[in-house]
């Protein structure tokens, strides 16, 4: 059973690679953004709680996101494996996830850090042509990512769960590296 957690800076290709790999493995690609949108659309209890924070322009609290991830991992399609994208974002969430997987009698997850240099990521994000993707905004997002995620990378590295893939190559080369890691 394949259980993968994708880490990496914005623009490293996490979403694209997670989606492609999930299709290839026939397991769900679980993005916290997708979970939030779906819960809000379905008007679930958790979704309505999240909506109330978002309507006020506030971040959805960790506990609520954790509850949504737990609910999603318990769904039938996730019983054969999954790829988590966008969660955990910090060590406290990683600890929560570790405990959750023990409670669900799941384990053996691998953490893939899709890494790419800032210059490459900035160029990719600027190339998307989104109006909120200015170089200044992108650099700030990368700074926040590095501050929040560096401890997470160390956390999983210390537990021998971290595998790093060079995101500064073609999509096909990255996908090939990912398939090789999973087969190992």
């Amino acid at each position: 059973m394949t259980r993968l957690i994708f880490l990496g800076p914005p623009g490293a290709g996490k979403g694209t690679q997670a989606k492609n790999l999930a299709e290839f493995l026939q397991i769900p690609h679980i993005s916290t953004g997708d979970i939030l949108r779906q819960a809000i659309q379905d008007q679930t209890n958790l979704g309505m709680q999240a909506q109330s924070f978002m309507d006020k322009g506030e971040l959805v609290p960790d506990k609520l996101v954790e509850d949504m991830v737990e609910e999603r991992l318990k769904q039938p399609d996730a019983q054969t494996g999954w790829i988590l994208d966008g969660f955990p974002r910090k060590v406290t969430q990683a600890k929560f996830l570790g405990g959750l997987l023990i409670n669900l009698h799941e384990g053996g997850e691998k953490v893939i850090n899709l890494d790419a240099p800032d210059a490459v990521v900035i160029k990719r994000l600027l190339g998307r042509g989104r109006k909120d993707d200015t170089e200044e905004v992108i650099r700030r997002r990368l700074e926040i990512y590095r501050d929040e995620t560096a401890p997470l990378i160390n956390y999983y590295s210390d537990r021998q769960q971290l595998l790093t893939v060079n995101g500064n190559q073609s999509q096909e080369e990255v996908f090939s590296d990912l398939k090789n890691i999973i087969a190992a």
Side-chain angles (χ1 to χ4, degrees), residues 109-130:
E109 69 279 5
K110 293 180 183 177
V111 181
I112 296 176
N113 181 31
L114 196 57
D115 201 20
D118 285 1
V120 169
V121 169
I122 290 167
K123 184 178 177 189
R124 284 181 188 168
L125 292 176
L126 286 173
R128 294 193 306 198
R130 293 185 188 169

Side-chain angles (χ1 to χ4, degrees), residues 21-86:
L21 198 57
E23 262 176 43
F24 175 75
L25 296 169
Q26 297 186 316
I27 57 176
H29 167 217
I30 302 171
S31 145
T32 45
D34 291 346
I35 292 172
L36 273 170
R37 284 185 287 280
Q38 191 64 52
I40 290 166
Q41 182 182 323
D42 293 347
Q43 294 283 292
T44 67
N45 182 33
L46 294 174
M48 290 187 293
Q49 288 178 52
Q51 182 74 60
S52 69
F53 286 98
M54 293 164 69
D55 286 347
K56 293 183 237 167
E58 297 174 12
L59 291 175
V60 177
D62 284 357
K63 175 73 173 108
L64 195 50
V65 174
E66 290 168 357
D67 289 347
M68 289 178 157
V69 168
E70 179 173 359
E71 191 176 80
R72 179 64 183 93
L73 291 180
K74 288 179 176 177
Q75 291 176 6
D77 68 334
Q79 303 315 301
T80 57
W82 39 259
I83 298 175
L84 265 180
D85 173 12

Side-chain angles (χ1 to χ4, degrees), residues 138-164:
I138 292 167
R139 287 191 184 281
R140 178 69 186 130
R141 285 174 55 205
L142 285 170
E143 191 179 304
I144 291 167
Y145 169 78
R146 302 264 184 239
D147 288 347
E148 289 182 356
T149 311
L152 198 54
I153 289 169
N154 294 336
Y155 176 84
Y156 283 119
S157 181
D158 290 348
R159 285 156 183 74
Q160 283 78 47
Q161 290 178 280
L162 187 73
L163 304 161
T164 299

Side-chain angles (χ1 to χ4, degrees), residues 90-134:
K90 45 191 169 181
V91 172
T92 53
Q93 291 176 341
K95 289 178 179 177
F96 162 81
L97 182 60
L100 172 63
L101 295 177
I102 289 169
N103 289 342
L104 295 176
H105 306 289
E106 296 182 7
E109 69 279 5
K110 293 180 183 177
V111 181
I112 296 176
N113 181 31
L114 196 57
D115 201 20
D118 285 1
V120 169
V121 169
I122 290 167
K123 184 178 177 189
R124 284 181 188 168
L125 292 176
L126 286 173
R128 294 193 306 198
R130 293 185 188 169
K131 64 179 181 209
D132 62 331
D133 279 346
T134 64

